[in-house]
Amino acid sequence: MSRTDLSDAALAAELDVALASGAFEAVFQPIARMSDGALAGFEALARWRRPDGELWGPDRFLRAATVHDKLRTISRFVLTRSVEQLARWRVSTPSAQALFLSVNISGADLEQGDLVTEALLLSEAARLPAGALKLELTEHQILKDPDAAARACTRLRDGGVAVALDDFGAGFASLAWLARLPADTLKIDRSFVAAIPRNVRAEKIVRALILLAHDLDMDVICEGVETHEVRERVRDLNSDYAQGHLFAPPLTAAGAEALILTLASADPLVSLA
Ligand code: G
Ligand code: MN
């Protein structure tokens, strides 16, 4: 056994304990609407609170979770927790009723299909309007089993759960899947978005992707917006939404709630950045 196998196994065992003991959290990264800068929704992301208080993102545990088949447990946790949270915000704060929630799912979730069922049930139980819950899939997951992905997209959309193609443009076969997969939202990968100020080719690709997405009746979220300059440029290119550290990093549930309340009480409505 290599060192990596050993540490992955140890991490995966810790992961089980963490999931059972509340050491996992869903955090919420704001997504801004470009037309007025308002808060439009959140992407829910998994974080693991380590014994020393540090918050680990998926880059620290994704490999161990994949190798030891824990991804579905993590996706289910983030989905359940974040939908419950949105449902509470919708009751406590009227402005939260317009927010959407976007949750990442893994290839394993698509193959098994049970997370799709769970998302449909959760959305219904929380009385979310159509499109308020969105599931994000990456090209990588789609390529693993394209037919399962297409079936999952159709089931979700028929049940009022929207589908976003995540990290778009960073992998393979993107355009082929755009033709085949019914989806609502295109999330343009931050590698293109962040390069806009220094790479005119990246800007042209983003412009073309936005035109194409709109032509296919999809809306667009530009990811990884870190500067005012990039925000202006993607707004001029007609991106519907933007997400990135310029607006906010992923926030704890308490932090996201504080943001919702601040924005709701601001008069006139203040924008995110
Ligand atoms: O693959 P996906 O797009 O779901 O990844 C989301 C991840 O991107 C999160 O872990 C989040 O912390 C990170 N992220 C969000 N905004 C930014 C940003 O503006 N710049 C960078 N480098 N990373 C970001
Ligand atoms: Mn994502």
Side-chain angles (χ1 to χ4, degrees):
M1 224 188 235
S2 74
R3 278 179 81 97
T4 305
D5 294 335
L6 272 176
S7 56
D8 279 352
L11 257 190
E14 277 187 61
L15 232 152
D16 281 333
V17 177
L19 279 161
S21 69
F24 256 81
E25 297 178 21
V27 293
F28 298 84
Q29 185 169 36
I31 297 173
R33 187 164 53 227
M34 289 284 84
S35 57
D36 56 3
L39 175 68
F42 291 103
E43 177 177 355
L45 296 156
R47 293 290 183 269
W48 181 357
R49 192 167 292 280
R50 301 290 298 163
D52 62 4
E54 201 188 344
L55 265 190
W56 276 11
D59 51 316
R60 307 292 289 273
F61 55 81
L62 205 59
R63 192 189 56 213
T66 308
V67 174
H68 292 274
D69 198 23
K70 309 283 180 212
L71 276 184
R72 280 190 298 143
T73 316
I74 295 171
S75 318
R76 172 172 295 110
F77 173 86
V78 175
L79 175 69
T80 310
R81 189 54 65 86
S82 60
V83 171
E84 283 167 4
Q85 185 62 73
L86 178 67
R88 281 199 294 274
W89 288 332
R90 286 172 58 83
V91 172
S92 64
T93 316
S95 63
Q97 288 173 10
L99 299 176
F100 64 78
L101 173 71
S102 205
V103 182
N104 298 282
I105 62 170
S106 74
D109 299 318
L110 281 184
E111 281 155 29
Q112 310 274 337
D114 49 353
L115 199 96
V116 168
T117 305
E118 198 151 329
L120 292 165
L121 290 173
L122 281 167
S123 166
E124 197 183 323
R127 298 172 179 277
L128 299 184
L133 176 62
K134 219 188 270 284
L135 295 193
E136 300 190 3
L137 24 148
T138 64
E139 248 168 24
H140 178 67
Q141 293 146 10
I142 297 164
L143 281 171
K144 269 182 75 181
D145 189 345
D147 294 326
R151 278 196 304 275
C153 289
T154 303
R155 274 186 70 205
L156 287 165
R157 299 180 80 215
D158 286 350
V161 174
V163 174
L165 302 181
D166 199 9
D167 302 336
F168 195 81
F172 306 98
S174 334
L175 295 176
W177 295 115
L178 266 191
R180 281 196 53 189
L181 275 191
D184 305 274
T185 300
L186 195 67
K187 296 191 76 172
I188 300 181
D189 192 70
R190 65 170 156 272
S191 57
F192 293 108
V193 174
I196 286 176
R198 55 175 198 280
N199 182 343
V200 70
R201 301 173 77 92
E203 177 167 16
K204 288 183 176 183
I205 290 168
V206 172
R207 174 188 292 128
L209 283 176
I210 293 172
L211 282 169
L212 179 60
H214 286 163
D215 212 8
L216 294 170
D217 294 324
M218 301 169 81
D219 55 29
V220 174
I221 302 177
C222 279
E223 301 185 286
V225 173
E226 295 179 350
T227 65
H228 287 282
E229 182 185 3
V230 172
R231 184 196 62 171
E232 304 278 296
R233 303 279 280 273
V234 300
R235 196 188 54 204
D236 292 347
L237 295 175
N238 282 328
S239 182
D240 304 278
Y241 303 101
Q243 178 180 353
H245 293 157
L246 173 68
F247 306 102
L251 305 170
T252 62
E257 184 166 318
L259 179 69
I260 294 171
L261 291 172
T262 307
L263 294 177
S265 64
D267 188 26
L269 216 62
V270 290
S271 62
L272 268 179

